[in-house]
Amino acid sequence: MKNFFVSMFLWIPLLAISQNNIEGMVMEDNPGNKQLGLAGANVYWLNSQTGTITNTDGSFVIPFKKEYNQLVISYVGFESDTLFIDSPKKVSHWLKPSNALDEVVVQKKRDAVQKSYFSPQNVVTINSAELLKAACCNLSESFETNPAIDVNFSDALTGTKQIQMLGLTSPYLLITQENIPMVRGASQAYGLTFTPGTWVESIQITKGAGSVVNGYESISGQINTELVKPLTDKALFVNGYANLNGRLELNTHLNEKLTDKWSTGLYLHANRRDTKEDNNGDGFLDAPLGNQINVLNRWQYQNPSTGWVSFINLRFLNDDKQLGQTNFVPSTDKFTTNSWGSEINTRRFDTSLKLGYVFPELPFQSLGFQTAYNIHKQDSYFGFNEYNIDHESIYSNLLFNSIIGDTKSKFKTGLTFAYDGYGEMVNTQDYSRVDKSIGAFFEYSYDNLKELSFTAGIRVDNHNNLGTFVTPRLHARYMPWERGSFRASLGRGKRAANIFAENQQLFASSRQIRVLGDNSSIYGLDPEDAWNYGASYIQGFSLFGRTGDVTLDYYVTNFKNQVVVDWENPMEVSFYNLEGKSLAKSFQFEINYNVLKNLELRTAYKYYDVETDYLSGTLQKPLQAQHRFFANLGYTSLPKENGALWRMDSTLHSLGKQRLPNTSSSPEEYQFGDYSSPYSLMNAQLTRVFNDNFEIYVGGENLTSFTQENAVVASDNPFGTNFDTTMIYAPVMGRMFYAGFRYKL
């Protein structure tokens, strides 16, 4: 490994040769603005697959293509511009806000899902257009139309959707909000439901080891969510949603530009379900009763003359759930055998600050500071099991970006501090602890765009419970020919497993909980430690005058240590350190093709081989399909002058058989087979856009109405020894229809 890094750095002088590139910056056109760059702007050659995204300071580099001469620059909330370029040159361009530009410009619709050919990391960007293909009530429901993420139900009661990537569950993903760690610790089970879909501007999904800049916890990948910005979001946005199973939801955005430098947004979310559904007749709610109030106040500051930009967020959330038997009444039945029930109450407060400075005379050099504080309080009980957790978190990251020589060679370096205080009670057992860490990182990037780019990073962290450790990461990209891109990555991740917060569904069963550890300070268990490595290839193509792409990727996660969650005894669940091997292998083959001018087809096949050494032997991961097939067909009609159009989307998920935990020792009526049956799910949505301001949508989920039989084991005796709600491999709720509207001004 050491020799490989050395070899890469020795090749840099030979690779840094002259290239026919377009270099430049994209900036906001405001009075007096000279250097305020727009990060994340799209830059691409018209009618081609060649494009890139601007960096945090607005800079970009894109190879010059002599066969193209129209360079399109676009950014959300700004009017797209098309530049006519006939030779390599440096470009500085200012985009005007959408309400300030009246002339007609050449525009091209950007893909709702974007894959970069030039990034060394395997990143898929989902923008707001893709999120509109489904009801997308919260972040956990934002991945139904994308094959990079698998969505499963975690249990038979909470209705919570659990995401997986590369065959591993969400705790092995680093889930960030604008690159600040967000869904972790106490929020692992339900945290994805705390971000409403309408708040999301885009989602970046990174497969494999993430960047060292964002921390050491990423093992299988990273999901970063970018929220809508007060400056570029609509002044008023209202979204209403209702489904036939009793769920009602309302989202409202209010944005105001206060001065030339300050903008603010107030985002309100409320949802409620008070209808009791029990379509399978087992006496248990198919989906929980509940309500959520979620309020976000967001401030955006930018000073074009000095190069300062910042975001300040303040958020409060209250979420209540009631689940269990349909006749359960908390005021009379709590902690009694009258009826089995559960309540989960979560209160959460978040605040964060992002501060950035772009050096006016050195536009490719910047300084950034991120800090966040949140406090998460959850009080819950599941029958007679009580689980309460308070989680106070502080996170700070100081980051410096610059170049070495020219923009082909860049580096990032900085310091990270994190504090997590856990007050955790399982029945009468206290598992409280404090985690503190401080770390430093350095990341070097080389990019000649035409053929080769790579990012090599390393960080060192000192943690009071994990010790001092090093996490290196390497990503490389090579383009041997037009629209063909090879990628490879290698990296280490390390984390402390919060075994109860991450597996709360286990409390809703009669299983005895056993923690088989030593005297370690985190539940008596060693930290999880894994290496992830893999490769991918994307090839763009044209067929019958229509464009498409083919992607293949293969990743392996090799655990040096893992906290094994063992369900193989139906009477108990055990947590213990890995003794032996644990490998997660993932293969994906994906084809995307524009069948017609406005008709897009996306298909994918995925294969997982996730094998772990349990105390009882080597077994495949339970409740996971080894074979999965995905297809999405989307149609958008040509828009009229007032923006009116139709959108239609249909999605198919086919899952192969799943290994079920061993139930051979259970009474015969509560036994499952070795494997579940394969099944398919279909979702569809139809949207009518009447004009630029108003649209309505109707849709359906699980249109085949496939549901799992005996979803709640021993539902007739919930206080008996065989009661279990965790043996879930298929939906509990059948066909569901919904409708909604969106109004924006």
Side-chain angles (χ1 to χ4, degrees), residues 65-305:
K65 297 288 181 179
K66 62 182 180 180
E67 61 268 35
Y68 305 118
N69 62 4
Q70 298 180 59
L71 187 68
V72 182
I73 302 176
S74 65
Y75 187 76
V76 176
F78 292 76
E79 290 293 342
S80 298
D81 281 357
T82 301
L83 310 180
F84 291 88
I85 296 177
D86 56 8
S87 63
K89 63 178 66 175
K90 291 192 175 182
V91 175
S92 294
H93 191 74
W94 286 262
L95 288 182
K96 296 182 179 180
S98 56
N99 59 0
L101 189 64
D102 296 326
E103 65 265 26
V104 177
V105 295
V106 180
Q107 298 185 45
K108 177 180 182 291
K109 173 180 162 295
R110 294 299 285 153
D111 295 334
V113 177
Q114 300 176 29
K115 297 181 178 181
S116 172
Y117 289 82
F118 302 102
S119 169
Q121 293 185 320
N122 188 359
V123 181
V124 177
T125 299
I126 302 173
N127 65 28
S128 56
E130 178 71 10
L131 299 178
L132 296 179
K133 291 185 176 183
C136 192
C137 295
N138 58 59
L139 189 57
S140 73
E141 299 166 323
S142 300
F143 306 101
E144 299 281 2
T145 61
N146 190 279
I149 301 292
D150 300 323
V151 183
N152 301 316
F153 288 94
S154 64
D155 58 85
L157 299 179
T158 64
T160 303
K161 293 183 178 179
Q162 184 183 69
I163 65 171
Q164 298 186 8
M165 188 162 74
L166 306 186
L168 297 171
T169 54
S170 58
Y172 297 108
L173 291 166
L174 178 62
I175 302 177
T176 59
Q177 182 175 290
E178 300 186 327
N179 286 313
I180 295 176
M182 183 56 61
V183 180
R184 56 186 300 275
S187 63
Q188 273 290 355
Y190 311 113
L192 288 172
T193 68
F194 297 159
T195 300
T198 65
W199 294 6
V200 178
E201 180 181 80
S202 65
I203 302 172
Q204 295 82 45
I205 302 171
T206 304
K207 288 187 176 183
S211 168
V212 294
V213 175
N214 301 122
Y216 54 82
E217 292 182 323
S218 170
I219 290 178
S220 62
Q222 178 177 344
I223 296 177
N224 180 60
T225 303
E226 290 291 325
L227 302 183
V228 293
K229 312 296 190 291
L231 180 64
T232 54
D233 192 23
K234 298 294 183 180
L236 173 65
F237 175 83
V238 181
N239 167 236
Y241 167 93
N243 68 33
L244 294 182
N245 295 323
R247 180 173 175 175
L248 302 172
E249 182 169 316
L250 180 67
N251 295 282
T252 303
H253 302 187
L254 299 168
N255 295 284
E256 181 72 23
K257 187 172 182 179
L258 302 176
T259 68
D260 290 340
K261 298 180 178 66
W262 283 99
S263 301
T264 187
L266 181 64
Y267 309 96
L268 308 174
H269 166 87
N271 71 63
R272 182 175 182 84
R273 187 199 300 272
D274 52 17
T275 302
K276 295 184 177 182
E277 293 280 333
D278 180 21
N279 293 320
N280 58 11
D282 62 2
F284 281 78
L285 295 170
D286 293 341
L289 308 179
N291 61 79
Q292 182 185 117
I293 299 295
N294 204 340
V295 182
L296 170 66
N297 184 210
R298 190 158 161 81
W299 294 80
Q300 182 175 355
Y301 172 85
Q302 56 185 30
N303 190 328
S305 61

Side-chain angles (χ1 to χ4, degrees), residues 239-242 686-687 694-699 738-742:
N239 167 236
Y241 167 93
L686 174 65
T687 302
F694 184 71
E695 62 188 69
I696 62 173
Y697 57 91
V698 295
Y738 62 84
F741 71 90
R742 302 182 184 100

Side-chain angles (χ1 to χ4, degrees), residues 525-686:
L525 300 168
D526 296 333
E528 297 191 298
D529 188 353
W531 284 84
N532 180 284
Y533 49 91
S536 68
Y537 177 70
I538 180 171
Q539 177 65 59
F541 65 87
S542 296
L543 181 65
F544 305 122
R546 307 292 179 193
T547 59
D549 60 72
V550 177
T551 304
L552 298 95
D553 62 50
Y554 180 74
Y555 288 89
V556 177
T557 305
N558 186 355
F559 284 92
K560 300 306 178 183
N561 188 58
Q562 185 179 23
V563 175
V564 179
V565 185
D566 190 340
W567 300 5
E568 298 307 311
N569 183 340
M571 295 292 103
E572 65 183 35
V573 57
S574 299
F575 300 93
Y576 50 82
N577 291 319
L578 175 70
E579 295 183 7
K581 295 182 179 180
S582 181
L583 289 170
K585 302 174 184 177
S586 167
F587 170 77
Q588 180 169 321
F589 174 65
E590 180 179 350
I591 299 178
N592 302 316
Y593 181 59
N594 295 306
V595 182
L596 299 173
K597 185 174 183 180
N598 297 306
L599 184 66
E600 182 185 38
L601 174 66
R602 297 207 304 268
T603 63
Y605 164 75
K606 289 182 283 189
Y607 171 76
Y608 297 120
D609 180 9
V610 184
E611 203 170 64
T612 301
D613 287 342
Y614 293 84
L615 295 180
S616 56
T618 303
L619 299 169
Q620 283 286 324
K621 179 182 176 181
L623 303 178
Q624 176 169 276
Q626 281 195 283
H627 303 274
R628 298 180 72 116
F629 176 77
F630 165 91
N632 175 265
L633 191 64
Y635 171 78
T636 302
S637 67
L638 291 174
K640 297 182 179 179
E641 289 186 4
N642 65 348
L645 55 82
W646 289 91
R647 287 197 302 265
M648 291 175 282
D649 291 279
S650 179
T651 304
L652 171 70
H653 295 272
S654 291
L655 286 76
K657 65 181 183 179
Q658 303 174 48
R659 189 185 76 80
L660 301 177
N662 192 334
T663 56
S664 60
S665 61
S666 298
E668 186 175 352
E669 62 270 29
Y670 302 136
Q671 290 182 11
F672 287 74
D674 293 334
Y675 292 91
S676 69
S677 301
Y679 66 89
S680 295
L681 300 175
M682 292 182 63
N683 303 332
Q685 180 175 286
L686 174 65

Side-chain angles (χ1 to χ4, degrees), residues 279-573:
N279 293 320
N280 58 11
D282 62 2
F284 281 78
L285 295 170
D286 293 341
L289 308 179
N291 61 79
Q292 182 185 117
I293 299 295
N294 204 340
V295 182
L296 170 66
N297 184 210
R298 190 158 161 81
W299 294 80
Q300 182 175 355
Y301 172 85
Q302 56 185 30
N303 190 328
S305 61
T306 62
W308 287 97
V309 61
S310 70
F311 289 93
I312 302 171
N313 291 346
L314 298 165
R315 186 183 73 154
F316 172 76
L317 171 137
N318 187 86
D319 183 78
D320 292 306
K321 295 183 179 69
Q322 178 188 322
L323 40 139
Q325 291 184 293
T326 56
N327 59 355
F328 176 75
V329 179
S331 60
T332 58
D333 299 333
K334 179 180 179 180
F335 297 142
T336 74
T337 58
N338 297 340
S339 182
W340 194 97
S342 168
E343 288 183 289
I344 305 169
N345 171 249
T346 304
R347 290 93 60 209
R348 186 178 175 94
F349 172 76
D350 297 277
T351 182
S352 64
L353 167 68
K354 293 184 68 175
L355 186 63
Y357 175 71
V358 178
F359 291 78
E361 303 303 322
L362 300 169
F364 298 106
Q365 185 167 288
S366 63
L367 185 67
F369 177 67
Q370 303 168 314
T371 187
Y373 170 80
N374 66 68
I375 185 164
H376 180 112
K377 293 181 176 290
Q378 178 187 320
D379 298 321
S380 55
Y381 63 90
F382 304 81
F384 287 115
N385 285 326
E386 284 190 87
Y387 179 67
N388 301 316
I389 183 169
D390 295 346
H391 180 189
E392 183 179 27
S393 176
I394 301 171
Y395 172 84
S396 294
N397 200 26
L398 180 64
L399 177 66
F400 177 73
N401 295 271
S402 192
I403 62 175
I404 302 174
D406 57 31
T407 56
K408 297 185 184 72
S409 296
K410 301 178 182 179
F411 72 89
K412 299 177 181 178
T413 188
L415 300 171
T416 305
F417 170 77
Y419 168 90
D420 294 287
Y422 295 94
E424 189 174 31
M425 294 289 294
V426 178
N427 296 319
T428 59
Q429 185 69 42
D430 189 349
Y431 289 97
S432 300
R433 76 175 196 273
V434 171
D435 290 349
K436 293 181 292 185
S437 68
I438 186 167
F441 58 86
F442 180 85
E443 184 176 81
Y444 171 82
S445 299
Y446 173 78
D447 191 352
N448 71 7
L449 275 178
K450 191 173 182 180
E451 292 181 353
L452 176 71
S453 65
F454 68 87
T455 299
I458 191 168
R459 67 177 296 133
V460 180
D461 290 270
N462 178 264
H463 191 289
N464 64 315
N465 289 319
L466 306 185
T468 300
F469 53 94
V470 178
T471 47
R473 309 276 172 84
L474 175 66
H475 302 266
R477 184 270 306 166
Y478 175 68
M479 293 187 68
W481 45 71
E482 177 75 11
R483 292 192 290 175
S485 184
F486 285 101
R487 290 186 179 89
S489 67
L490 171 69
R492 182 192 186 196
K494 197 166 184 175
R495 64 182 294 271
N498 293 286
I499 59 175
F500 299 122
E502 296 165 8
N503 299 278
Q504 293 186 39
Q505 73 274 18
L506 297 172
F507 293 121
S509 73
S510 295
R511 295 173 181 263
Q512 296 297 310
I513 297 174
R514 301 175 63 212
V515 181
L516 309 179
D518 50 27
N519 294 321
S520 174
S521 56
I522 306 178
Y523 310 107
L525 300 168
D526 296 333
E528 297 191 298
D529 188 353
W531 284 84
N532 180 284
Y533 49 91
S536 68
Y537 177 70
I538 180 171
Q539 177 65 59
F541 65 87
S542 296
L543 181 65
F544 305 122
R546 307 292 179 193
T547 59
D549 60 72
V550 177
T551 304
L552 298 95
D553 62 50
Y554 180 74
Y555 288 89
V556 177
T557 305
N558 186 355
F559 284 92
K560 300 306 178 183
N561 188 58
Q562 185 179 23
V563 175
V564 179
V565 185
D566 190 340
W567 300 5
E568 298 307 311
N569 183 340
M571 295 292 103
E572 65 183 35
V573 57

